[in-house]
Amino acid sequence: MSQKLFAGIDAGGTTTRCFVIDASGHFLAFSKGGSGSIIAQGAAAIVNLQSTLIAAAAKINQEPNYEAIFIGASGINSPKEQKIAEQLITHNFDAVKFQKLEIQSDTSALHAAAFFGGSGVVFVCGTGSKCYGRTADNKEAVAGGLDWVLTDEGSGYHLGLLALKRIIRGIDGRDSDAAALRELIFTHLKIKEYGDLSAWLHSDRQEKTKIAALAPLVAQAALGGDVIAQQIFYQALRAGVELIVAVVNKLQLPTADIKLGITGSVITREPAAHIFPECLRERLPSATTFIPTIPPAAGAALCALQLAGITLTPDIIANIQNSALDQLDC
């Protein structure tokens, strides 16, 4: 007998993660795919989103028919973008059926994973970055999240960009030579000369992704003791903290009791994992950080239950927390 399916999707700029539960919050299936950023990737993202929903249903031998789907997507920053994304899915999903659909920012899914509908602030810091907060009376505030040209402070993209700029300044003679970092990145990119950077940058239209992919190299250099790489991390993460301070101020939250849920490939790994708390204490001395016990995709699944009119009881929350999350790459 078929079960009623509720899907939560964390649609990131690089990876889409789909988490399916039943009406009681019990885990049923999980699947992954490529970028689900509809605003940035368009038709390709639609294909990836539909594929993850099909794959998840197939794992439990059911047709991809869902009671509710909630998508927390990167690049959704306004009601207009939300409406466009929902219309694109409605008109282009040909193999997945659903009764209800809602698309919000990816930070909405993270917030649900961190606070289960309660009050708090979350910070996403991976390929890009964004801070979002909501109070108990549903007052909301956002900082950042307008993509790489305008924002993304503290992110992998920001780290890669700062590294490239620092290398160029050194080559130009406008700053001391960043020799170790230059050699590491030039070797990775298989380039030898200053001018080759321009050709590499403009070789395709994936500037943000390719620059963000340099962040692990900056981390490698920083962990190896390179002072310039360490300075870049401090500069980027202090800029990321400014987003958090802005949200706290907008919501007029008591700074003595700030709890910050964090996620992302940059902020949860070294060296950011120890540099970020240091930078945060400089501005918000009493703030504490934590990684949510469930991933954003599972938070989105809780939002799918609410979308279907189901109240999040302690039992439902416990059921999703007790899922075998450690066995999933989510």
Side-chain angles (χ1 to χ4, degrees), residues 10 105-115 120-134 141-146 151-156 158-159 233-248 258-268 272-273 275-277 279-280 284 287-292 296:
D10 176 22
S105 165
D106 51 356
T107 47
S108 297
L110 173 59
H111 195 279
F115 299 105
V121 179
V122 294
F123 182 47
V124 179
C125 191
T127 302
S129 68
K130 185 176 184 179
C131 186
Y132 169 80
R134 189 172 69 233
V142 175
L146 295 179
T151 55
D152 278 342
E153 289 85 355
S155 68
H158 193 199
L159 287 165
F233 262 90
Y234 276 96
Q235 181 181 351
L237 293 172
R238 283 179 175 130
V241 167
E242 289 179 358
L243 301 176
I244 299 163
V245 172
V247 167
V248 169
I258 299 298
K259 292 181 176 61
L260 179 69
I262 59 172
T263 192
S265 57
V266 170
I267 202 170
T268 57
I275 293 176
F276 174 73
C279 295
L280 183 65
L284 297 169
T288 57
T289 63
F290 68 98
I291 298 174

Side-chain angles (χ1 to χ4, degrees), residues 31 128 229 236 286 327:
S31 63
S286 299
Q327 299 177 23

Side-chain angles (χ1 to χ4, degrees), residues 51-74:
S51 295
T52 60
L53 288 161
I54 293 171
K59 289 183 177 182
I60 51 175
N61 298 314
Q62 287 197 207
E63 294 297 316
N65 300 332
Y66 293 87
E67 293 296 309
I69 301 171
F70 184 95
I71 302 174
S74 64

Side-chain angles (χ1 to χ4, degrees), residues 2-329:
S2 296
Q3 304 178 76
K4 290 185 176 181
L5 308 182
F6 302 82
I9 294 181
D10 176 22
T14 303
T15 306
T16 293
R17 295 173 172 86
C18 177
F19 195 95
V20 179
I21 59 176
D22 65 14
S24 298
H26 291 105
F27 168 75
L28 297 176
F30 172 75
S31 63
K32 290 176 62 176
S35 172
S37 180
I38 298 171
I39 300 302
Q41 300 293 332
I46 296 294
V47 171
N48 291 335
L49 290 168
Q50 181 166 231
S51 295
T52 60
L53 288 161
I54 293 171
K59 289 183 177 182
I60 51 175
N61 298 314
Q62 287 197 207
E63 294 297 316
N65 300 332
Y66 293 87
E67 293 296 309
I69 301 171
F70 184 95
I71 302 174
S74 64
I76 301 294
N77 295 296
S78 69
K80 180 179 179 180
E81 290 174 331
Q82 176 187 348
K83 185 176 181 180
I84 290 172
E86 289 176 352
Q87 288 177 340
L88 284 171
I89 285 179
T90 300
H91 295 152
N92 291 284
F93 268 21
D94 54 8
V96 171
K97 296 179 181 180
F98 54 87
Q99 297 298 316
K100 294 187 177 181
L101 168 72
E102 185 172 340
I103 300 177
Q104 294 284 353
S105 165
D106 51 356
T107 47
S108 297
L110 173 59
H111 195 279
F115 299 105
F116 307 115
S119 174
V121 179
V122 294
F123 182 47
V124 179
C125 191
T127 302
S129 68
K130 185 176 184 179
C131 186
Y132 169 80
R134 189 172 69 233
T135 62
D137 59 355
N138 290 323
K139 182 179 179 182
E140 297 176 296
V142 175
L146 295 179
D147 216 350
W148 56 286
V149 175
L150 300 176
T151 55
D152 278 342
E153 289 85 355
S155 68
Y157 165 77
H158 193 199
L159 287 165
L161 181 65
L162 289 175
L164 290 174
K165 287 188 172 184
R166 183 61 181 78
I167 289 169
I168 291 169
R169 287 179 62 85
I171 295 173
D172 283 347
R174 291 181 283 149
D175 210 330
S176 58
D177 188 11
L181 192 58
R182 183 185 71 242
E183 182 178 355
L184 185 64
I185 288 180
F186 275 29
T187 299
H188 173 76
L189 298 180
K190 299 180 180 178
I191 62 176
K192 296 181 179 180
E193 299 178 1
Y194 174 88
D196 293 338
L197 277 174
S198 180
W200 167 77
L201 183 63
H202 298 295
S203 61
D204 56 45
R205 309 188 81 178
Q206 301 296 320
E207 292 97 333
K208 176 179 177 177
T209 302
K210 67 199 301 185
I211 292 174
L214 301 179
L217 298 176
V218 186
Q220 178 184 331
L223 290 169
D226 186 84
V227 174
I228 291 175
Q230 292 169 354
Q231 291 171 345
I232 287 170
F233 262 90
Y234 276 96
Q235 181 181 351
L237 293 172
R238 283 179 175 130
V241 167
E242 289 179 358
L243 301 176
I244 299 163
V245 172
V247 167
V248 169
N249 289 341
K250 286 179 183 179
L251 295 176
Q252 298 180 318
L253 296 174
T255 56
D257 190 32
I258 299 298
K259 292 181 176 61
L260 179 69
I262 59 172
T263 192
S265 57
V266 170
I267 202 170
T268 57
R269 299 175 183 172
E270 294 294 352
H274 77 269
I275 293 176
F276 174 73
E278 182 180 339
C279 295
L280 183 65
R281 284 193 297 270
E282 293 173 356
R283 300 294 303 277
L284 297 169
S286 299
T288 57
T289 63
F290 68 98
I291 298 174
T293 56
I294 65 173
L302 290 176
C303 292
L305 292 181
Q306 292 179 305
L307 181 61
I310 297 172
T311 300
L312 299 184
T313 64
D315 284 343
I316 287 176
I317 293 172
N319 286 338
I320 203 165
Q321 286 179 310
N322 292 332
S323 301
L325 300 176
D326 58 341
Q327 299 177 23
L328 306 174
D329 181 17

